[in-house]
Amino acid sequence: MTRLARFAPGLRAYAVIYLLFLYLPVLLIPLFSFSEGTVVAFPISGFTFKWYGQLATQDTLLQSLVNSAIVGAGTAVLSTSLGLFAARAYIRHDFPGRRASEGLVMLPLVTPVIIVASAMLALFLLIGLRPSLLTVILGHTFLTVPFAVSILKSAFEEFDPSLEEAAYDLGESVWGTFRRVTLPIVAPGIVSSLLVTFTVSFDEFVLAFFLSGDQPTLPVYIWSQIRFPAKLPNTLALGSLLLGFSVLLLIAAEFFRRKSRNAIAKVKG
Amino acid sequence: MTLESDRSGVFLAMPATVYVGLLVAAPLGVLVMYSFWTQTYVDIDRTFTWENYRAAFSDPLVRQLLVRSVWMAGLVTLLTVLLAYPIAYFVAFRARRKMLWLLLITIPFWISYLLRVFAWKLILGFNGLLNSGLASLGLINEPLDFLLYNELAVIITLAHAWAPFAILPIYVSLQKIDRSLLEAATDLGCGKLGRFLRVTLPLTVPGIIASCLIIFIPTVGDYVTPALVGGSDGKMVANLIQVYFGSANNWPLGATLSLMTMVSVGAVAISFVALVRGAGKAIR
Amino acid sequence: MTGNTIIELIDVEKHFRSFVALSNFSLDLKEGEFFSLVGPSGCGKTTALRIIAGFQEPTSGVIRIGGQDMRAIPANRRPTNMVFQSYAIFPHLNVADNVGFGLAKSGLSRAERKQRIGEALEMVALDGLQRRNAHELSGGQRQRVALARALVMRPKVLLLDEPLSALDKNMRESMQFELRRLQQSIGITFVMVTHDQYEAMTMSDRIGVMFDGRLEQVDAPSALYAFPANPKVASFIGGMNFLPATLLNERNATLSIEIAGLGSLDIGMNPGVTRHERDLLVGLRPEQLYIGRDAPTDYDVTAQGTVTDIAFYGESVRYHVQINGVPEPVSVSVPNYFHTVDFKRGDAVWIAAQGASVIDLGTRSDNEPTKQERKV
């Protein structure tokens, strides 16, 4: 491998340039969050922490953050539960219509969101469901089920079915087997499904824009700020904070993953 | 092979299938219904009519936007996959610390999508990073005004936004390649290029198809990017759909447009997959 | 050593959609015996084991354990425990928690449980490794943990699904003796599934040989070797030459026959097969044939032939010898004893056999061996 690596200077240079392309726009956000000017444009004027300092007083912004957290959590729990059952069915069982069901569940991944959004709005209004955080959760669950299913499918694929049989054989009930064996073993898959679906929902804009009514989520709030910037620097500050937070979360998740691999947690019966 | 019979598999798969199935079928059904109704100021006239389809087909703007959306989505897909393939190849075959590279590639996408698109505005804008940079280097006197608010800006922004969705599936399919296949190709007399074209590339076709579909289909219906950096030249069909569902308040026409978009996307995607598979068979 | 019936399977059938995994399967297992089900992969032996364990329901038929009908009793309430092929060691638990897994509902106190776990681990020579994590165990240790985990439940019957197949050759051989010793010291019934006939022969009191969902023969290893019920069993348990023969005379338990190309001799009658025509099939074990440069005097039949192929196994050498009048080359296996035999391809040799080592396989047309079975 080391020999090979030395022979790819061109590829490596390309990779570095590509990374610059990926990071350039992303780095501008934290950069401007420290700029003193209210209008976000070049040249950058001065250096300040005031946009961060003001965050605590931005009621609408904070409310949208709370809304997004609620939607993200609801979506994560719902789609991960649906995904858990479905993934288990797909890996452990063979039944008529399995492939059709697997295909259908993946469909949201390749459906233009604008169509989903307009169609769901029309449907919800027709059945008398007013746009609210609930409708956003229902829509986001639809969008994130494919992610949950694929993550949990790979968790079940690595899971030797005779482990469950062994527990059952040793006298455990079906529920006890699930609690003492299945759950602890697929736990990393469940956590990563929760994280991914939360993240996708947290960042989703179009569906939330159509379905949130008068309870904007964070992306909907950001959208209004980008178009009619009144508090844009605050938004940039929040975005930068969230980025930092996500990176920390990512590092923490990786840390725990390694730790759990080395010293597997005990589950007492 | 497990504790339960096959029947319990059906029950386990039921909630997700029914949920997704319902949320695909029911809204689509509603869209189809709406597309045969008419908007009369504040009310909906529920008598059956083909009028919306007639109006949509005869409207040159609709045709233009649909064609442009498909065309731009195709360009974005092509560009993103072309740019991404070498990176995926590098990480899979050449990089020493694969996980670090994958992490570095995904981190930028943990910041709000909207802010990322907005950042491109800051780069490509009239007083943007690019223009200021070029001006301070003395390369230009007047700021370039063709950078923002056009198709090019939309394509660059989307190629950036979709990067991980292209890199990851291709990386996975490269990673899956049994390294002894490559040694076998060399052993049988393939040069580096021949080995890539005759072994590596064909084996990554599933990954490439997955990336293409994951990028192309949502891009045709993308709303945010054209609205923010597209200007009037870069508008796409989703913007028109949003107008009908929003300010223009003509849901029947919006529904018709949504369905037409969906059919076009489906047709293009299916013919693309068929074409690639056919080409693959022809080569073999 | 063996006593009353502990497991009864009566006319068990198992169908997976159109595939018949078990057909007309009846079996009695005795208390305290080491029983093996052996057969090629896909023959239904694992299905039979899983039906005893309760992981699969028979399509029809009865299964009783200790006289009690098991059809309504799920796997978690049966007096059987299983050692899985993959061992199924819980990766999130350490050795002690793995072994103590099934004791959680036993109502035992913590100290009692700890003692039972210690005893079980002592039985498999792993005492002291209680706190070891699952992923720190070697293959042999994993197998011992799986054994201890099942034995700690004090089952009436221990089920073992290919327990040695994941081990390397040396480990496998020493575990064969250890499993046998363990079974004898505990005294409960062991039912083992294996595809390896030698493993089954060395360990078992009785063996059931299975093909295509059917139990072809159940017998002690020595009886299977001496009196196989048909060519399938004959070729699965050790190597076998199949030769056509003609029945000349039948008297008491002795048959006078003529083997084409070899001559006529008297052989013992196989009680497990039928003879209703003069055309018989007989089997000759490669290791029970004489081969030499000179014709021996004290054998029942002798014939001259030519060496066509040689395979060197280390402990033995196997020669294929073409004999005039015998349709296919006869395989002869000779212990590699002080290198006393050393023939080359093309050498002229003498082959000889005793009547006592020729196996009567009954009427030839009843059981024409297939091409594959004829290979030895």
Side-chain angles (χ1 to χ4, degrees), chain C residues 38-197:
Chain C
V38 62
S41 59
C43 70
K45 55 191 191 294
T46 297
T47 305
L49 195 75
R50 292 169 62 84
I51 283 178
I52 298 174
F55 294 129
Q56 271 160 359
E57 280 175 37
T59 310
S60 66
V62 179
I63 164 169
R64 294 200 194 99
I65 300 179
Q68 197 189 355
D69 193 334
M70 283 290 131
R71 278 175 297 180
I73 299 186
N76 55 351
R77 297 195 352 246
R78 291 195 184 187
T80 59
N81 284 108
M82 178 116 131
V83 173
F84 290 83
Q85 182 170 13
S86 64
Y87 305 144
I89 304 299
F90 302 123
H92 57 299
L93 303 178
N94 65 19
V95 169
D97 290 338
N98 258 288
V99 175
F101 188 94
L103 297 177
K105 287 188 172 169
S106 59
L108 296 174
S109 73
R110 183 179 288 269
E112 285 169 319
R113 269 190 275 172
K114 201 175 161 196
Q115 193 190 340
R116 286 270 289 269
I117 293 167
E119 285 167 9
L121 285 173
E122 210 168 308
M123 243 188 293
V124 296
L126 278 187
D127 200 18
L129 294 189
Q130 270 88 337
R131 308 204 61 77
R132 193 67 70 84
N133 278 321
H135 59 91
E136 295 168 333
L137 299 172
S138 69
Q141 288 172 329
R142 296 170 78 82
Q143 203 230 18
R144 287 157 194 266
V145 172
L147 263 172
R149 186 177 69 182
L151 290 174
V152 81
M153 304 299 290
R154 298 183 179 161
K156 288 186 181 158
V157 178
L158 183 73
L159 308 172
L160 304 109
D161 185 4
E162 299 269 8
L164 305 174
S165 65
L167 303 178
D168 63 43
K169 189 168 173 290
N170 291 337
M171 179 72 95
R172 197 157 59 221
E173 280 170 8
S174 72
M175 274 314 286
Q176 285 177 9
F177 289 105
E178 210 173 316
L179 267 180
R180 180 66 177 149
R181 189 186 49 72
L182 189 66
Q183 187 267 335
Q184 279 167 343
S185 70
I186 309 169
I188 64 165
T189 308
F190 276 32
V191 182
M192 178 175 83
V193 155
T194 176
H195 65 273
D196 182 337
Q197 62 272 39

Side-chain angles (χ1 to χ4, degrees), chain B residues 100-245:
Chain B
L100 181 70
W101 274 95
L102 289 179
L103 205 64
L104 282 175
I105 287 164
T106 27
I107 282 178
F109 301 91
W110 284 63
I111 202 161
S112 164
Y113 167 58
L114 293 170
L115 291 182
R116 265 181 282 140
V117 178
F118 175 72
W120 279 106
K121 239 172 124 165
L122 294 178
I123 295 171
L124 300 174
F126 194 72
N127 290 318
L129 185 65
L130 207 57
N131 274 328
S132 331
L134 291 175
S136 66
L137 287 174
L139 291 174
I140 50 171
N141 297 323
E142 287 288 302
L144 305 172
D145 59 0
F146 57 83
L147 292 172
L148 193 60
Y149 300 127
N150 55 30
E151 293 183 9
L152 182 73
V154 175
I155 290 172
I156 292 176
T157 307
L158 284 173
H160 179 264
W162 286 115
F165 292 86
I167 296 173
L168 294 178
I170 296 174
Y171 166 79
V172 169
S173 61
L174 281 166
Q175 189 63 32
K176 268 199 262 177
I177 295 179
D178 182 352
R179 298 307 192 259
S180 62
L181 291 178
L182 303 179
E183 290 173 355
T186 311
D187 184 55
L188 295 170
C190 272
K192 272 187 180 173
L193 187 65
R195 188 177 74 177
F196 176 76
L197 291 177
R198 293 176 60 192
V199 181
T200 314
L201 193 61
L203 286 174
T204 49
V205 164
I208 295 174
I209 292 182
S211 311
C212 286
L213 292 184
I214 286 180
I215 296 171
F216 175 80
I217 295 174
T219 303
V220 176
D222 189 35
Y223 163 67
V224 173
T225 314
L228 277 181
V229 300
S232 55
D233 283 357
K235 285 273 184 295
M236 290 174 33
V237 72
N239 304 99
L240 192 61
I241 295 176
Q242 200 277 328
V243 167
Y244 282 126
F245 274 95

Side-chain angles (χ1 to χ4, degrees), chain A residues 83-96:
Chain A
L84 189 65
F85 293 127
R88 192 190 162 86
Y90 298 148
I91 298 297
R92 289 296 168 76
H93 300 273
D94 193 14
F95 51 92

Side-chain angles (χ1 to χ4, degrees), chain A residues 1 14 18 21-23 25 28 42 85 89 93-94 101 110 114 118-119 125 138 142 165 203 205 219 232 246 250, chain B residues 1 6 9 12 17 19 23 27 83 93 104 110 112-114 118-119 123 127 129 160 163 217 221 224 245 251 258:
Chain A
M1 245 13 241
Y14 177 77
Y18 194 87
F21 165 69
L22 290 187
Y23 276 84
L28 287 181
F42 285 96
F85 293 127
H93 300 273
D94 193 14
S101 164
V110 288
I114 186 84
S118 57
L125 286 182
L138 291 177
F142 172 80
E165 290 182 344
D203 195 28
F205 164 67
L232 191 52
S246 335
L250 207 66
Chain B
M1 280 291 134
D6 288 349
L12 286 174
T17 313
Y19 189 85
L23 283 192
L83 286 176
F93 286 129
L104 282 175
W110 284 63
S112 164
Y113 167 58
L114 293 170
F118 175 72
I123 295 171
N127 290 318
L129 185 65
H160 179 264
I217 295 174
V224 173
F245 274 95
W251 286 26
S258 282

Side-chain angles (χ1 to χ4, degrees), chain A residues 66-77:
Chain A
V66 170
N67 288 346
S68 271
I70 294 172
V71 169
T75 301
V77 170

Side-chain angles (χ1 to χ4, degrees), chain C residues 19 68 126 178 193 202 224 272-273 279 316 329-330 337 349 369:
Chain C
F19 176 72
Q68 197 189 355
L126 278 187
E178 210 173 316
V193 155
T202 52
L224 280 178
V273 298
D279 285 339
S316 66
V330 172
Y337 183 67
V349 290

